[in-house]
Amino acid sequence: MGDGSLLHTDIDAWLARHQSKDLLRFITCGSVDDGKSTLIGRLLYDTGAVPDDEIARLERDSARGSAGGELDFSLLVDGLAAEREQGITIDVAYRYFATEARKFIVADTPGHEQYTRNMITGASTAETAVILVDARKGILTQTRRHSYLVSLVGIRRVVLAINKMDLVDFDPGVFQRIVADYEAFARPLGFDAITPIPISGRDGDNIALISARTPWYDGPTLLGYLEAVPLAADTLAGRPFRMAVQGVVRPDLNFRGFSGQISAGVIHVGDEVRVCPSGRTSQIARIISGFGDLDTARAGQSVTVTLADEVDVSRGDVLAAAGSPPESAERFVATLVWMDEQPLVIGRSYWLKVGARTVAVVVTGIDHRVDVNTLEHHPATRLELNEIGDVALRLDQITPFDPYEANVDTGGFILIDRVTNATIAAGMLRSAERRADNIHWHAQTVDKTARARLKGQRSAVLWLTGLSGAGKSTLANRIEQRLLAEGRHTYILDGDNVRHGLNKDLGFSEADRVENIRRVAEVAKLMADAGLIVLVAFISPFRADRELARSLMEPGEFVEVFVDAPLAVAEARDPKGLYRKARAGELKNFTGIDSPYEPPLQPEVHIDTTLTSPDAAADRIVRLIEQRGLPGVDGDGI
Amino acid sequence: MSDPDLSIAAGTVAASPERLTHLQRLEAEAIHIIRETVAECERPVMLYSIGKDSAAMLHVAMKAFHPAKPPFPLLHVDTTWKFREMIRFRDSHARNLGLELLVHTNPDGLAAGVGPFTHGSAVHTDIMKTQALKQALDKYGFDAAFGGARRDEEASRAKERIFSFRNAAHAWEPKAQRPELWRLYNARKHRGESLRVFPLSNWTELDVWQYIAAENIPLPDLYFAAERPVVERDGTLIMVDDDRMPLASGETPEMKSVRFRTLGCYPLTGAVESTAATIPAILQEMLTSRTSERQGRVIDRDQAASMEKKKREGYF
Ligand SMILES: Nc1nc2c(ncn2[C@@H]2O[C@H](COP(=O)(O)OP(=O)(O)OP(=O)(O)O)[C@@H](O)[C@H]2O)c(=O)[nH]1
Ligand SMILES: [Mg+2]
C-alpha cells in the first residue's frame, strides 16, 4: 500500500507483480520492553503501511503518552485499551505490510512471561523470528525462553536484533559481546542461521535503511534480511503426501469427496494413497479445487478428493502417500508447553487435537522439565504454567502421526481441558513410545487411577456367585482368557488359590464362611487398587456377605454375576463329586443341601447356564467390561 | 451444480506449478477455517453484510463445499437503514447461489423508531446492530457465526483470534483469549457460549479486492463511482438514499461522482469522490490514497477504542 510511484505506473502490471508475490510470516519476540512493538510500528511506518488518518491519531496519542512528543510507534501495534494504558503488550497483534519483493504477516508477541501462551500462538505460524535484545541489558531469561520456544516450534532462522543501540552510542563492543553471549547460549538450539543486526527501532537505524551511525556493520538491514530469507514453505512439497480429512462432502449418492488442506507433498490423479490409521489403500480419482478439477495439487492447497474405491474414510483420518505413510500409535513421547494456571496432572484425562482428530489422552509420566535458562533437564512430577517438558502420552485411539520435525500438522497438537474447554497446552509429538524404551518416568500421584491407566484399563471386581458346579470357575477362566487377549491385566481368586493358603485356617462353619468371604473381598479390593480386573469365583451364598464386598469397592467397580444353575442341574453335573459326598453326609454345611443359597436380587449380570454357553456368557461380560473404557473417559460419547 | 455465474471463475486462483501465491495461501486457509467450523460446531451461520468482504467470504464458502452447497444459512442483520441497492443485491445474490437467507431486525428498536438521525450513531448501532445480532443468534441458536472482518481493519481486530470465543452474553474478553496454535482451532464450548469465526482474518483490503477481481465476484454498484446525490456533513459526504434523511434549511443534495469503500447504514457511511468505475481503477486509487477504509465509517470515530468496546458488548 501507499507506494506513491504508482500514480504513473501501469496498474495491471503492478497487480500482476503483486499477485505473484510470496508471503513471509515472522514474529518479533524477546524480553519485556526490549522494543518489539516499537520496531513493528517502525517497520509499518517505513514501508508506508500506515494510512494518514492513523498517523494523525498516532501523533495525537504520542503527545499524551510517555514518549514526550516523539512518535511512539508501539501505539500502532498495541491495540487493546489495557495495553495502551500500561505500555505493554498483552496479546499478539498480527500486522500486514508489503514491499516490492514480498508480502509480510508479522506477529508482534508480548515479552511478559505471564503471556507466554500468546507468544507461542504467534510463533507457531511463523517461519522466521526477530529476537530482540536491549543493548543495555543483554540476554535475559525471557530472551532465552523465547529463543527456546522459537526453536521448539521449528523456526530454523532467526535475527538477533540488538536494539536501542542509540542508548549505547552505537558501540560495536557492546554489540559483539551480546552476539557472543547469545551464540554460546543458542548453540544447543541448533538454529540453521543466526543473523545479528544492530538497530534502533525508535530511530529507524538499520531497519529499512543502512545506518550511518554503524559504519562498522556490513550486514543487511532488517527489511533486507526479511525480503531475502528463504521460505520454509518451499520444502513442504518435497515431503511425502499428507492430508488430514476435515470432512466428507456428499451432495448426492454419486459423489463422496474427502476435504482437507494438504499439509505436505504433491498428489496427482491416479496416485496410490493410504487411509490412516486403517491402512486401506486406493487411488485418487478426482482432485477438486474450488469449482473445478485439477490434475495435481500440492502442499498448502485446500482440496476435495475422491477415491477410486469405496473405502471407509472419516473426519480425523489422514490420507497419505501409500508408500510412505505416517506411523500409527496410542502411546507417544511428546514435548509439552503448559499454558494453563492449573498445573498438568498425571493421570487426568484431557482432549488432544491433532490435525482434524480429537481424542481423549492421559499424560502417564513426565520424563523431565527443561530449565529455560540453562536448557538443563530436571526431574519433575508436575508442569506449571509456562513450563516445558517431555512427557509420555496415552491416547484412547490409535492415531496416525509424524514426528513434529517432519510434519507440523501431523505432529503438532493442543490439549483441551474437558471441563473448562480451555486450550491448556501445546505439544509436539516426538515418537511412538516403545515399551522396551528404558525411560524413567517420574509419576506424580501413584493411585488406583494411575495404576489402572498404565495398564490401559479400569479396575473392576467381577464377583461370580452361584452353587457349586454352576460353572463359576469355567466362566471365570474364559473371561480371563478373553481379557488377556485384549491386553488387560487380570487375576482370579477362587477356592483353589485362597482356601489352601490365605484361608487355610478357616473351616465351613457359618462364621468361617463369613470370614472367608470377608478376606476374599478385602484381597479383591487391594487388587482393584493395584489397577487389576479381579475375578472372584466363590459360591458366596449369603446376600449380606456379597453386599459387604460390594460396599468395599468404588461405585461401578463391583460387578455381581449370578451364575445360575438349578440345584438339580448342578447336582447332576457334580464335577468334583461333592454333592454325592454331601448327600451321603460326608460333607457338612454344603450349600444347596444342608445350607441355604440366597440368590442375588439385582445382579449386574444374570447368566442362565441352562440356556447360555460359557463362551457366550464370557463374551457378554467382556463386552461389558470393555465398554467401561478408562477411568474418567467413559460416558463422553467418544 | 453451481450457478453459471460462478463456474466461470473456476481455477482463476489456481495452483502455480512452483509455489502458492499469497492469494492462494489466503484462500486455502479460509477454506480450512470454514470447513473446521462446520465440522466442530452444531449450528453455524454466515453473517452476510452485503459488503465486499462478505462477498469474498461467501465465495470462499461456495468453493469450500463444492459440489455441495455450504451447509449453513446466511444471516443479514437489517437495521432498515441500509442503502436500498444493498437490499436488492442481497436478495438476488442469495437466490442466485441457492442459499437460505435469514433477515433479522430488532423488533424493539423498530417499534421505538430507533434510527441514526433521531438517536445518533452510537445508540442506533447498539440497538439495531449489536443487540439485533445477539437476538438473532439466540433466536436461532447459532453456536458459531462467520464474519468477514479482517485484522488489518483496526488495531483491536489485529489482536483477535480467528476462532474468537464469546461467553453466553456474546462478549469478547480480550485479556483471556484462548491460545491459537498452528491450524488447530479449539471450537469447544458450553451451551449458550459461541464462537465468532473470521476466515479472512489474514487478508488485507488489497487482497480482498484482488481476489474479487481474479474470481469475478459480483458486487453492489455502490462500490463503483457514479453520479449520486450527496450532502456534506462534518467533512463527510453522505448519500441521500431515501426521503427519511432530514435536510437542513438551505441544504440541497448535489450530484457528485462518488463511490463507497465500505457499505453500511447510508447515513453513517461516507462516500469518496472518485471516478473509478472498474476494479483496477479502484485499486489504482486505493494504492495511491493515504487514508484507511474505516475513515468513511462514522461509527468508528465516535469514541476512542470504540471497536474494542463494541466487541466487548457483543458486536462482531
Ligand atoms: N532509545 C530507544 N528506545 C526504544 C527503542 N525501541 C523501543 N524503545 C522504547 O522502549 C520502550 C518499550 O518499547 P516497546 O516497543 O513497547 O517494547 P516491547 O518489547 O514491545 O514490550 P512488551 O511487548 O511489553 O514486552 C518504549 O518506551 C520505547 O519507546 C530504541 O531503539 N531506542
Ligand atoms: Mg510490545
Side-chain angles (χ1 to χ4, degrees):
Chain A
M1 243 218 251
D3 179 346
S5 63
L6 268 164
L7 267 175
H8 306 291
T9 57
D10 174 6
I11 183 73
D12 294 325
W14 188 90
L15 285 175
R17 245 190 2 263
H18 187 85
Q19 203 150 5
S20 60
K21 276 181 199 171
D22 54 32
L23 175 65
L24 175 74
R25 298 189 69 148
F26 71 98
I27 57 164
T28 51
C29 60
S31 197
V32 183
D33 274 352
D34 282 353
K36 300 175 287 297
S37 304
T38 305
L39 172 67
I40 296 306
R42 183 86 216 187
L43 266 177
L44 295 172
Y45 186 80
D46 285 357
T47 55
V50 188
D52 285 347
D53 47 314
E54 241 188 276
I55 292 177
R57 182 143 26 95
L58 175 65
E59 282 165 355
R60 269 198 324 274
D61 294 352
S62 299
R64 252 184 291 162
S66 55
E70 286 193 57
L71 288 188
D72 178 354
F73 290 107
S74 71
L75 293 175
L76 286 175
V77 195
D78 288 336
L80 299 176
E83 295 177 328
R84 300 162 82 89
E85 273 162 37
Q86 299 172 50
I88 59 162
T89 304
I90 293 172
D91 212 331
V92 212
Y94 295 90
R95 299 300 303 243
Y96 306 80
F97 65 97
T99 66
E100 278 303 303
R102 253 180 199 170
K103 304 252 309 175
F104 298 94
I105 301 179
V106 55
D108 176 40
T109 72
H112 283 255
E113 183 187 348
Q114 188 187 348
Y115 307 121
T116 302
R117 55 182 167 226
N118 298 333
M119 179 271 170
I120 193 170
T121 290
S124 70
T125 50
E127 295 177 42
T128 300
V130 178
I131 299 168
L132 271 85
V133 177
D134 184 329
R136 296 167 306 172
K137 297 185 188 156
I139 313 296
L140 302 174
T141 301
Q142 278 300 84
T143 324
R144 298 192 186 95
R145 181 189 305 274
H146 281 188
S147 299
Y148 181 48
L149 286 166
V150 157
S151 76
L152 266 188
V153 300
I155 293 173
R156 307 262 39 102
R157 290 166 196 277
V158 298
V159 173
L160 181 67
I162 317 285
N163 190 32
K164 307 195 187 181
M165 287 300 291
D166 54 301
L167 297 179
V168 295
D169 296 329
F170 294 90
D171 179 351
V174 172
F175 176 75
Q176 280 145 13
R177 249 187 331 271
I178 294 174
V179 172
D181 282 355
Y182 188 80
E183 282 174 346
F185 159 76
R187 200 159 295 124
L189 299 179
F191 290 124
D192 290 348
I194 299 172
T195 306
I197 308 180
I199 63 166
S200 168
R202 200 192 58 176
D203 301 345
D205 296 79
N206 293 327
I207 306 295
L209 296 172
I210 279 291
S211 170
R213 301 196 278 185
T214 52
W216 44 267
Y217 172 71
D218 60 2
T221 61
L222 179 61
L223 200 56
Y225 172 90
L226 295 170
E227 287 184 318
V229 63
L231 293 180
D234 286 357
T235 63
L236 282 174
R239 312 238 172 107
F241 170 67
R242 299 283 186 269
M243 184 183 97
V245 175
Q246 287 185 274
V248 182
V249 178
R250 227 184 156 160
D252 54 60
L253 291 175
N254 303 318
F255 187 94
R256 195 158 150 263
F258 309 108
S259 298
Q261 187 170 15
I262 302 173
S263 72
V266 178
I267 40 162
H268 307 269
V269 169
D271 280 358
E272 184 92 353
V273 290
R274 190 176 299 274
V275 184
C276 301
S278 80
R280 299 286 305 274
T281 60
S282 184
Q283 295 85 41
I284 301 282
R286 286 177 66 191
I287 304 170
I288 293 136
S289 161
F291 307 116
D293 273 43
L294 300 176
D295 297 327
T296 174
R298 61 192 4 256
Q301 282 182 283
S302 282
V303 296
T304 297
V305 300
T306 64
L307 300 180
D309 310 285
E310 277 284 321
V311 289
D312 185 8
V313 182
S314 49
R315 175 170 166 84
D317 287 345
V318 174
L319 294 183
S324 38
E327 265 186 83
S328 290
E330 317 184 80
R331 290 168 174 273
F332 295 97
V333 178
T335 305
L336 271 193
V337 181
W338 196 255
M339 307 192 295
D340 201 49
E341 278 77 17
Q342 296 295 316
L344 161 70
V345 177
I346 291 172
R348 178 171 297 166
S349 177
Y350 303 106
W351 292 116
L352 177 149
K353 184 172 182 186
V354 54
R357 199 179 182 85
T358 303
V359 298
V361 65
V362 173
V363 176
T364 53
I366 300 174
D367 182 62
H368 63 260
R369 176 178 66 75
V370 176
D371 180 329
V372 294
N373 268 313
T374 58
L375 303 179
E376 279 165 7
H377 294 182
H378 298 293
T381 54
R382 56 205 267 144
L383 287 183
E384 308 265 2
L385 178 66
N386 299 328
E387 288 190 334
I388 303 160
D390 277 11
V391 302
L393 301 177
R394 198 192 131 84
L395 277 50
D396 78 336
Q397 277 175 35
I398 299 269
T399 295
F401 85 102
D402 290 295
Y404 180 82
E405 315 68 272
N407 189 312
V408 169
D409 288 315
T410 43
F413 64 89
I414 53 172
L415 297 188
I416 300 170
D417 188 279
R418 299 172 73 106
V419 176
T420 66
N421 289 328
T423 306
I424 51 178
M428 298 102 199
L429 296 173
R430 299 299 181 202
S431 60
E433 188 199 335
R434 274 165 261 298
R435 286 153 196 258
D437 275 3
N438 205 8
I439 307 168
H440 192 77
W441 301 110
H442 303 267
Q444 187 197 22
T445 39
V446 182
D447 58 9
K448 180 197 285 187
T449 304
R451 296 185 199 99
R453 277 181 183 287
L454 210 58
K455 299 178 177 67
Q457 65 191 33
R458 180 171 214 171
S459 314
V461 176
L462 287 172
W463 193 281
L464 282 63
T465 171
L467 294 172
S468 175
K472 298 180 297 298
S473 297
T474 311
L475 183 54
N477 285 322
R478 298 281 162 95
I479 294 170
E480 187 172 38
Q481 280 161 9
R482 297 287 158 84
L483 288 173
L484 197 85
E486 298 285 336
R488 306 299 165 223
H489 299 244
T490 56
Y491 195 75
I492 295 183
L493 294 171
D494 70 8
D496 290 341
N497 56 19
V498 177
R499 278 271 180 199
H500 299 311
L502 178 67
N503 290 357
K504 199 156 65 183
D505 55 325
L506 300 179
F508 288 89
S509 68
E510 182 151 349
D512 278 3
R513 295 185 82 145
V514 170
E515 175 60 10
N516 182 36
I517 297 304
R518 191 195 67 79
R519 289 187 194 174
V520 168
E522 289 289 356
V523 171
K525 182 190 171 174
L526 290 174
M527 288 184 159
D529 195 52
L532 295 175
I533 297 172
V534 192
L535 296 118
V536 179
F538 270 79
I539 299 173
S540 47
F542 304 118
R543 248 172 238 139
D545 296 344
R546 297 193 301 263
E547 286 312 309
L548 172 95
R550 182 188 289 275
S551 73
L552 289 175
M553 314 304 166
E554 280 179 16
E557 198 170 61
F558 187 83
V559 179
E560 189 174 21
V561 179
F562 180 23
V563 185
D564 187 3
L567 180 62
V569 175
E571 189 167 354
R573 290 180 191 151
D574 203 9
K576 298 178 198 158
L578 296 176
Y579 283 97
R580 202 167 21 83
K581 282 191 189 163
R583 290 284 182 203
E586 293 164 31
L587 275 178
K588 287 281 169 223
N589 294 330
F590 194 75
T591 303
I593 307 298
D594 54 352
S595 179
Y597 178 78
E598 299 171 1
L601 298 177
Q602 283 186 307
E604 273 76 9
V605 184
H606 184 165
I607 304 290
D608 183 339
T609 59
T610 61
L611 298 174
T612 314
S613 72
D615 279 323
D619 272 351
R620 208 172 121 194
I621 291 160
V622 168
R623 228 176 305 124
L624 185 89
I625 289 294
E626 289 294 293
Q627 270 165 10
R628 299 165 4 122
L630 288 172
V633 176
D634 58 332
D636 288 295
I638 47 165
Chain B
M1 286 194 274
S2 72
D3 76 22
D5 197 80
L6 285 170
S7 49
I8 314 169
T12 2
V13 176
S16 83
E18 285 309 308
R19 71 161 67 124
L20 304 183
T21 66
H22 77 273
L23 269 190
Q24 290 169 336
R25 283 178 68 175
L26 291 171
E27 185 195 57
E29 177 187 64
I31 290 175
H32 174 85
I33 291 163
I34 293 172
R35 287 172 172 168
E36 213 44 28
T37 310
V38 164
E40 299 230 336
C41 296
E42 275 167 41
R43 202 158 153 63
V45 66
M46 181 165 280
L47 266 287
Y48 179 60
S49 71
I50 323 169
K52 62 182 191 315
D53 303 305
S54 283
M57 174 171 66
L58 178 52
H59 186 81
V60 171
M62 294 298 290
K63 283 188 160 191
F65 300 98
H66 182 81
K69 297 270 189 223
F72 45 76
L74 306 180
L75 172 66
H76 180 230
V77 174
D78 192 349
T79 61
T80 73
W81 290 91
K82 302 292 171 187
F83 291 94
R84 281 173 300 165
E85 193 210 325
M86 289 170 70
I87 304 301
R88 271 195 305 277
F89 183 89
R90 174 193 78 190
D91 294 341
S92 78
H93 195 49
R95 198 169 337 108
N96 289 343
L97 297 178
L99 297 177
E100 183 189 359
L101 170 72
L102 307 170
V103 177
H104 179 81
T105 301
N106 182 347
D108 310 330
L110 202 60
V114 172
F117 294 121
T118 47
H119 294 73
S121 68
V123 172
H124 170 73
T125 305
D126 179 48
I127 304 287
M128 299 310 277
K129 290 177 85 172
T130 307
Q131 302 307 326
L133 172 65
K134 293 199 276 188
Q135 283 171 354
L137 297 178
D138 291 342
K139 173 176 163 191
Y140 296 101
F142 295 123
D143 64 338
F146 295 106
R150 312 182 316 266
R151 284 170 173 159
D152 83 326
E153 284 179 64
E154 200 270 337
S156 68
R157 292 247 194 244
K159 296 270 168 182
E160 193 166 7
R161 300 285 188 257
I162 293 174
F163 276 53
S164 182
F165 177 81
R166 301 301 167 97
N167 65 20
H170 299 275
W172 182 50
E173 188 39 79
K175 282 172 82 175
Q177 298 197 87
R178 289 176 176 173
E180 190 168 82
L181 288 102
W182 302 295
R183 311 175 186 163
L184 288 174
Y185 303 106
N186 175 0
R188 301 189 84 88
K189 56 204 166 320
H190 295 118
R191 199 151 293 284
E193 298 168 343
S194 63
L195 294 169
R196 306 285 165 91
V197 180
F198 302 109
L200 308 189
S201 287
N202 287 323
W203 299 42
T204 63
E205 187 185 10
L206 180 60
D207 296 329
V208 170
W209 277 114
Q210 285 196 280
Y211 186 72
I212 286 170
E215 297 279 306
N216 249 317
I217 301 171
L219 286 183
D221 285 339
L222 293 161
Y223 280 110
F224 303 96
E227 293 281 320
R228 296 186 172 99
V230 291
V231 295
E232 190 177 328
R233 288 188 179 169
D234 302 331
T236 304
L237 291 176
I238 303 292
M239 178 174 155
V240 184
D241 195 48
D242 59 37
D243 52 19
R244 286 180 294 175
M245 176 146 172
L247 295 175
S249 67
E251 200 179 38
T252 42
E254 248 183 291
M255 293 303 284
K256 281 195 170 155
S257 179
V258 295
R259 64 181 175 86
F260 296 88
R261 279 179 82 175
T262 65
L263 296 184
C265 295
Y266 81 81
L268 302 178
T269 309
V272 289
E273 286 196 72
S274 163
T275 54
T278 63
I279 290 180
I282 288 172
L283 288 175
Q284 176 123 32
E285 276 190 10
M286 202 186 99
L287 292 165
T288 51
S289 105
R290 296 283 321 164
T291 56
S292 72
E293 64 188 311
R294 304 197 76 81
Q295 178 71 1
R297 293 192 196 171
V298 179
I299 54 167
D300 291 338
R301 283 184 265 145
D302 263 12
Q303 292 159 291
S306 62
M307 176 61 76
E308 179 181 346
K309 185 169 171 291
K310 287 206 296 280
K311 292 171 85 68
R312 283 166 169 280
E313 290 161 0
Y315 187 71
F316 235 79

